[in-house]
């Protein structure tokens, strides 16, 4: 076993980046946050009431806005937030729902996340069916 009592095991490469980045992002002015910054913070559940609206502003113009991982990774982070957060930000869940329902060619990695989000956020009472079929890789 590495380390002594009370010492954390050495983090993996991804954890090292996140551990090093998150404190700096918390000090960064909100207006200066990039899509990647938002993806990281939203993925960690940080400041959702303030950051989700910023992310949705970006997604309105480009639903496939990306950070450093893949095309659409910001949307994936937004869609993965729990159902409990959306009532705290009136109208935002419905706006995300509208954004994803407007798509006609959903990239295949996002299709399951969109289906899951729509199942949790039916909006007007529909079950979320009618999401366009994903594009094959």
């Amino acid at each position: 076993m590495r380390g002594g009592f009370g010492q954390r095991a050495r983090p993996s490469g991804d954890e090292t980046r996140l551990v090093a980045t998150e404190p700096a992002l918390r000090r960064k002015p909100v207006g200066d946050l990039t899509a990647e910054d938002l993806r990281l913070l939203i993925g960690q559940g940080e400041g959702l009431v303030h950051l989700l609206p910023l992310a949705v502003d970006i997604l309105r113009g480009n639903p496939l806005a990306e950070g450093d991982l893949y095309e659409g990774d910001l949307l994936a982070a937004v869609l993965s937030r729990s159902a409990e957060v959306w009532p705290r930000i009136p109208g935002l869940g419905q706006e995300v729902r509208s954004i994803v329902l407007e798509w006609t060619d959903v990239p295949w990695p996002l299709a399951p996340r969109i289906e899951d989000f729509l199942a949790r956020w039916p909006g007007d009472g529909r079950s979320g069916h009618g999401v366009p079929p994903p594009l094959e890789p």
Side-chain angles (χ1 to χ4, degrees):
M1 180 177 197
R2 295 185 79 170
F5 179 75
Q7 292 181 341
R8 293 181 60 191
R10 187 174 183 180
S12 72
D14 288 340
E15 290 170 327
T16 300
R17 177 174 178 255
L18 183 58
V19 168
T21 304
E22 190 174 352
L25 291 178
R26 288 180 181 181
R27 292 188 303 274
K28 193 172 186 178
V30 173
D32 293 344
L33 294 172
T34 65
E36 174 64 3
D37 298 340
L38 290 169
R39 181 191 70 78
L40 286 171
L41 291 168
I42 289 169
Q44 292 300 305
E46 296 291 332
L48 296 177
V49 172
H50 303 286
L51 300 181
L52 283 171
L54 295 174
V56 171
D57 283 343
I58 292 170
L59 295 171
R60 237 184 259 117
N62 178 11
L64 290 177
E66 62 187 283
D68 291 347
L69 291 180
Y70 57 89
E71 191 175 50
D73 61 5
L74 179 59
L75 178 60
V78 169
L79 295 174
S80 70
R81 297 303 84 206
S82 70
E84 291 80 32
V85 74
W86 301 107
R88 295 174 45 208
I89 314 165
L92 200 64
Q94 184 62 38
E95 189 164 352
V96 172
R97 186 179 189 282
S98 296
I99 289 169
V100 299
L101 286 176
E102 288 175 6
W103 255 346
T104 56
D105 54 349
V106 176
W108 69 268
L110 291 173
R113 292 179 189 240
I114 290 171
E115 285 286 347
D116 183 56
F117 175 82
L118 292 174
R120 291 181 288 125
W121 189 263
D124 61 5
R126 293 183 298 173
S127 66
H129 297 292
V131 174
L135 294 176
E136 292 302 317

